[in-house]
Amino acid sequence: MEPLTEQRKVSGPIVYGFLRLAGHSPARQQALTATVIEYCRTHELTLAGLFTERCASTAAAFTGLLQALQVPGSYGAVLPAPSHLGPKKIALERMRRLDATGARLLLVRGTRQGPRAGLQPERGPVLEAES
C-alpha cells in the first residue's frame, strides 16, 4: 500500500523570513527566529532564508529580502508581526515595495485592527495567522 501524502516528503511554497531586531536581546532574537521557523514548519512552507536587520540605520537585509522575492518560485515573506517592517513611515514604504514584488506577506501574529491597520497592502493577498 502506498504511503499517505502527509507521510511523503513534499516541498511547500518557498518563503523568506524577515526580522527587525535592532535593540533586542540575544534571547529575544533566538525566540523570534524560532517563531518564524516553527510557523513555516506548521504551515508546510519551505523557509529558504532568514533576513535579519540588526541595525535600524541600514536596510541591507530588507533589500536582500526584496531580491530573494524576485527569484522565480518565491511565494512570500514571513514576519513575526507587522512591527518588523519598522516605524510607520518606513513600514508603509516597505509594504509598498513588498506589494510591488507580487509576493505574499505572511504574519505569524497580527490583525487588521489597531494602529498598524494601515500597513495592509491595497492589492494582493495578505495571509495572517494567530499562533
Side-chain angles (χ1 to χ4, degrees), residues 18-46:
F18 181 75
L19 301 172
R20 187 170 192 269
L21 299 175
H24 289 287
S25 70
R28 180 73 175 146
Q29 293 176 21
Q30 289 177 350
L32 288 167
T33 299
T35 297
V36 169
I37 291 168
E38 180 62 14
Y39 178 87
C40 291
R41 187 190 67 75
T42 59
H43 290 85
E44 299 179 349
L45 302 167
T46 300

Side-chain angles (χ1 to χ4, degrees), residues 82-83 85-88 91-93 95 105 115-121 126:
S83 61
L85 290 174
K88 190 169 185 169
L92 289 171
E93 175 60 19
M95 180 62 73
L105 176 61
R116 302 270 231 187
L119 296 180
Q120 302 305 318
V126 173

Side-chain angles (χ1 to χ4, degrees), residues 54-74:
R54 297 184 191 281
C55 177
S57 63
T58 182
F62 186 75
T63 301
L65 172 65
L66 292 175
Q67 291 173 346
L69 292 172
Q70 296 298 321
V71 173
S74 294

Side-chain angles (χ1 to χ4, degrees), residues 5 8-14 43-47:
T5 303
R8 294 183 181 173
K9 295 238 182 225
V10 178
S11 299
I14 296 171
H43 290 85
E44 299 179 349
L45 302 167
T46 300
L47 183 61

